[in-house]
Amino acid sequence: MSGLTHEMSGSWTTIGRADGNVFKINDSSVSSQHCEVRLRGDELEVRDLCSTNGTFIKGKKITEAVLKSGQTLRVGEVDVRFEASVVGLPPAASYVNTMLVRGALPKAAPAPDITPVKPPPTGEEPAKNHQVLFVDDSLAFIETFGELCSILANRTWEIHSATSADQALAVLQQHSIDLVVLDIGIPMVDGIQLLGIIRRRNPGVRIAILTGKTTENNRSMCLVGGADLFIEKPVSTDECRIVFNMLNDLVSWPQRDGFSGTLHQVGLQEIIQMECIGRRCLILEIRNNELLGEIYIETGAITHAHVGELAGVKALNRLLSLTGGEFRLKPYEAPPQRTVEQSWEYLLMEAARCSDEETDFLRRNPTEPEMPAEVAAAAPAPAAAEDHADPGDDFVVVATYDGQWAPVDGPNS
């Protein structure tokens, strides 16, 4: 099996034991998808794909590294050498890079018959671009499958990519992602853990699991964790088209940007309490016919609130005093300033106290205009009425009546 060559191109190329790899090496020491390589100038970029037995250069285990011409890459127990050759070159070329492997090169797959999604008729607005994030440790898969999805979607998908959890979370902060296509086998923080983090931080985003590890346990954990779909990775053109159709249906489902409800049915206090207990990061937007405000919650703590010209605790109390309107949960962004320091429990208790005082004030003074509780509490008490009676006037309290109008001594006289 030694001595076979393959001419490299500028795209990512996978090496592994399973069908679908450009270099299929049928050796038990090689993982089903072991590593991937890409030509970069006269060097070869190498990335290990969480292989069982590791990928080595000069005896050192690598995650990502660069291979020079003439050097050997060890895949499991198989040596793969990267060489430069001048065989069959056009006059303008200096050399062509080749790989020498122990496995026979599989036959090239036929070019897929791709039919893009039908564009909208002339005169109609173009379809809204969907922001789609692919999270997979294999850049080769993201590159090939992502491009195929973009073509099938008639370029209405804007593709983002990440190979680790931290990269994925950074993309989610920078872009308004509609759909996350997530692999389980990513390094450090696996896909199941990342699924839970994304679901808590971005409750409105659609999430599809696309993996080769389709065990019943993985399926159950992903669906319980909040995944909308659990799909096996495609290995043929027809399977790719089927998977795309499922993902396109998922990202195209009608959905609101957040949630809404009437505040006389669901109190803001309950919503804030639920989000803070869940230690979520989000912005709670509240509106009615007169005002629009926002409450910032970061990892279960209220950090800022504003409405009109009010900010901080006064703005929070003003919003919590509303008896009707709408709210929605928005993806978290850092507030322009941090104006709230107290715990959310204390803030909700104070808001409830202010609300009770205001309600009691209005009940005792039904003709008085509505007055904020803090203003009512700060207002000076009305002065006692002065006695302007003429000192010469005589006032007699009649406690009993015996048939004649005459004063009668008694306890109330």
Side-chain angles (χ1 to χ4, degrees):
M1 295 175 62
S2 62
L4 300 176
T5 65
H6 173 68
E7 183 176 339
M8 292 297 301
S9 65
S11 59
W12 285 99
T13 300
T14 56
I15 300 175
R17 190 178 70 251
D19 294 335
N21 292 287
V22 176
F23 288 98
K24 181 181 178 182
I25 303 178
N26 191 16
D27 188 282
S28 60
S29 67
V30 179
S31 296
S32 57
Q33 199 171 41
H34 198 101
C35 67
E36 59 186 0
V37 296
R38 180 175 66 175
L39 190 62
R40 189 179 66 184
D42 58 352
E43 300 174 334
L44 199 70
E45 196 174 352
V46 183
R47 299 182 70 254
D48 182 76
L49 298 178
C50 300
S51 61
T52 301
N53 295 318
T55 303
F56 299 83
I57 296 179
K58 294 183 178 181
K60 295 183 178 180
K61 188 175 182 179
I62 62 99
T63 301
E64 294 188 19
V66 173
L67 196 66
K68 303 288 186 180
S69 178
Q71 290 183 333
T72 299
L73 178 70
R74 190 165 188 82
V75 181
E77 297 179 0
V78 178
D79 290 332
V80 181
R81 191 169 68 255
F82 174 53
E83 290 186 343
S85 174
V86 295
V87 178
L89 290 179
S94 57
Y95 59 85
V96 61
N97 294 298
T98 61
M99 270 291 190
L100 305 183
V101 298
R102 287 181 55 195
L105 180 67
K107 295 182 180 180
D113 180 17
I114 299 175
T115 304
V117 173
K118 185 178 179 181
T122 305
E124 294 184 9
E125 292 185 4
K128 172 185 176 293
N129 282 343
H130 294 299
Q131 305 283 325
V132 181
L133 170 61
F134 284 89
V135 185
D136 198 296
D137 64 331
S138 173
L139 284 173
F141 175 77
I142 295 176
E143 187 178 83
T144 55
F145 186 68
E147 176 64 17
L148 176 62
C149 288
S150 182
I151 294 173
L152 289 171
N154 197 35
R155 304 295 180 182
T156 60
W157 284 18
E158 183 173 347
I159 305 295
H160 305 268
S161 62
T163 58
S164 61
D166 59 332
Q167 292 179 10
L169 295 176
V171 173
L172 284 165
Q173 282 190 336
Q174 297 167 5
H175 303 276
S176 181
I177 299 298
D178 301 303
L179 171 65
V180 177
V181 183
L182 180 60
D183 184 24
I184 292 178
I186 57 177
M188 301 299 290
V189 177
D190 65 31
I192 297 176
Q193 292 173 298
L194 181 56
L195 167 65
I197 296 172
I198 295 175
R199 183 55 72 205
R200 288 193 297 272
R201 291 190 178 184
N202 304 83
V205 70
R206 306 285 193 184
I207 303 177
I209 302 297
L210 188 60
T211 181
K213 301 178 180 180
T214 53
T215 65
E216 284 303 318
N217 184 56
N218 285 341
R219 181 187 299 274
S220 175
M221 292 181 67
C222 289
L223 294 178
V224 170
D228 296 289
L229 286 175
F230 186 91
I231 315 172
E232 185 174 2
K233 277 188 175 179
V235 295
S236 68
T237 303
D238 290 338
E239 290 179 358
C240 286
R241 188 180 291 106
I242 292 172
V243 171
F244 164 76
N245 288 334
M246 296 176 68
L247 296 177
N248 192 52
D249 285 344
L250 178 60
V251 76
S252 301
W253 284 350
Q255 58 178 332
R256 294 191 175 197
D257 185 14
F259 304 93
S260 65
T262 55
L263 299 186
H264 70 274
Q265 293 176 344
V266 180
L268 276 178
Q269 290 85 349
E270 286 79 8
I271 298 298
I272 293 174
Q273 183 178 5
M274 179 179 65
E275 300 302 328
C276 289
I277 290 176
R279 298 183 59 79
R280 297 185 175 90
C281 296
L282 53 91
I283 300 173
L284 180 59
E285 181 184 271
I286 304 103
R287 67 170 68 232
N288 65 8
N289 295 331
E290 300 177 357
L291 54 78
L292 170 65
E294 291 180 327
I295 300 173
Y296 287 73
I297 299 176
E298 181 180 353
T299 320
I302 301 174
T303 59
H304 177 61
H306 69 87
V307 55
E309 297 181 355
L310 298 178
V313 176
K314 290 184 178 180
L316 179 65
N317 289 338
R318 180 72 182 94
L319 292 171
L320 291 176
S321 69
L322 298 178
T323 57
E326 294 183 350
F327 68 90
R328 67 169 181 162
L329 306 181
K330 297 168 54 179
Y332 179 77
E333 296 179 359
Q337 56 181 331
R338 292 178 179 268
T339 57
V340 180
E341 297 180 355
Q342 298 93 330
S343 69
W344 65 267
E345 296 94 338
Y346 171 81
L347 292 169
L348 293 186
M349 288 178 62
E350 281 298 293
R353 181 184 64 79
C354 292
S355 178
D356 290 342
E357 290 181 357
E358 181 177 355
T359 302
D360 183 62
F361 174 82
L362 293 176
R363 185 176 60 252
R364 288 185 288 104
N365 303 272
T367 61
E368 293 288 337
E370 183 177 349
M371 181 183 302
E374 57 267 28
V375 176
E386 297 183 5
D387 187 2
H388 296 289
D390 187 344
D393 294 341
D394 293 330
F395 292 90
V396 178
V397 177
V398 179
T400 60
Y401 178 58
D402 59 358
Q404 300 179 1
W405 291 104
V408 176
D409 292 337
N412 295 324
S413 61

